[in-house]
Amino acid sequence: SLVGSEMCIRDSYDVVRIDHFRGFDEYYSIPYGDKTAEFGHWEKGPGIDLFRTLEKNLGKLDVIAEDLGLLTDSVIEMVEESGFPGMKVLQFAFDGNGDNEHILHNHEKNYVAYLGTHDNDTIMGWMKTADKEDVKYAKEYLVMGKEEPYWDMIRALWSSVAGTTIIQAQDLLGLGSESRMNIPSTLGGNWTWRMEKGQFDEETVKRLKRMTWLYERLPREVERK
């Protein structure tokens, strides 16, 4: 039942991110049994009516809409009408385009801003594998130092006006590509990284707490230290 599903979800998660959110507007349908997508076609999805029905039955939904990639006007309109926060990914910001929606000065309040998602390289890995001009631009834009550039990226993200910010544990620890979570369109070797006991040490905890307090992501009455 809807009520049973609601209780299960809300007991297990604070918020649910729906990947490929655009599929509720339009989705690509491939005939059953076809080995390729050659004869597929676009179908109209349920749109905003689905979420109106869910909210009518379940109340306010805590959802993040994954709105990355090529989006049509109707998808953008659906996301805005839903009221769900969309996503910004800082790794996508440094293509030299000042209008880039992912760059900090174009962030908006009703968004969740990430350094990278499970499908991205780690920040330290990205700095070695990304286009050199993109990395150069990022270093200049963020005034990054040489010692701990990942902390400079975290600080920049925390200063965003986005209502929520998220980083992967690998980036908090400054790990390289060997700790990457997933490489899209590949089989084997993904989702194997695990944090070892002691990696998330007291100094890292204190540092993150100070930064979180500094950029008003902790209540001001919480002690800064």
Side-chain angles (χ1 to χ4, degrees), residues 21-22 57 79 108-109 220:
F21 195 79
R22 67 160 298 168
N57 285 273
V79 175
E108 298 176 27
K109 183 70 174 178
R220 278 283 155 169

Side-chain angles (χ1 to χ4, degrees), residues 181-201:
M181 190 70 75
N182 182 59
I183 301 177
S185 302
T186 64
L187 295 175
N190 293 316
W191 298 100
T192 59
W193 182 83
R194 297 292 184 273
M195 184 188 294
E196 296 180 0
K197 186 175 182 179
Q199 276 189 287
F200 192 49
D201 59 23

Side-chain angles (χ1 to χ4, degrees), residues 63-89:
V63 167
I64 300 170
E66 189 266 293
D67 56 349
L68 305 176
L70 181 63
L71 302 178
T72 62
D73 290 341
S74 58
V75 176
I76 295 171
E77 182 179 340
M78 181 183 67
V79 175
E80 290 178 351
E81 194 172 352
S82 74
F84 300 148
M87 292 174 57
K88 304 296 183 188
V89 180

Side-chain angles (χ1 to χ4, degrees), residues 49-155:
D49 289 344
L50 171 64
F51 298 101
R52 286 174 174 164
T53 301
L54 288 172
E55 290 206 350
K56 182 179 179 180
N57 285 273
L58 302 178
K60 184 180 181 302
L61 303 175
D62 293 317
V63 167
I64 300 170
E66 189 266 293
D67 56 349
L68 305 176
L70 181 63
L71 302 178
T72 62
D73 290 341
S74 58
V75 176
I76 295 171
E77 182 179 340
M78 181 183 67
V79 175
E80 290 178 351
E81 194 172 352
S82 74
F84 300 148
M87 292 174 57
K88 304 296 183 188
V89 180
L90 197 57
Q91 277 193 36
F92 298 155
F94 303 108
D95 60 0
N97 179 7
D99 291 332
N100 186 310
E101 64 178 307
H102 298 281
I103 203 161
L104 288 171
H105 59 259
N106 289 329
H107 283 192
E108 298 176 27
K109 183 70 174 178
N110 193 34
Y111 277 88
V112 179
Y114 295 74
L115 278 187
T117 73
H118 58 280
D119 285 334
N120 292 101
D121 202 344
T122 66
I123 288 300
M124 295 305 291
W126 176 82
M127 293 187 69
K128 293 181 178 179
T129 60
D131 184 277
K132 291 183 179 180
E133 287 301 313
D134 292 357
V135 176
K136 181 180 178 182
Y137 181 35
K139 288 180 177 180
E140 182 177 6
Y141 184 91
L142 301 175
V143 196
M144 295 171 72
K146 294 181 179 180
E147 295 300 320
E148 296 176 311
Y150 58 100
W151 274 110
D152 294 327
M153 293 280 271
I154 295 171
R155 178 184 293 274

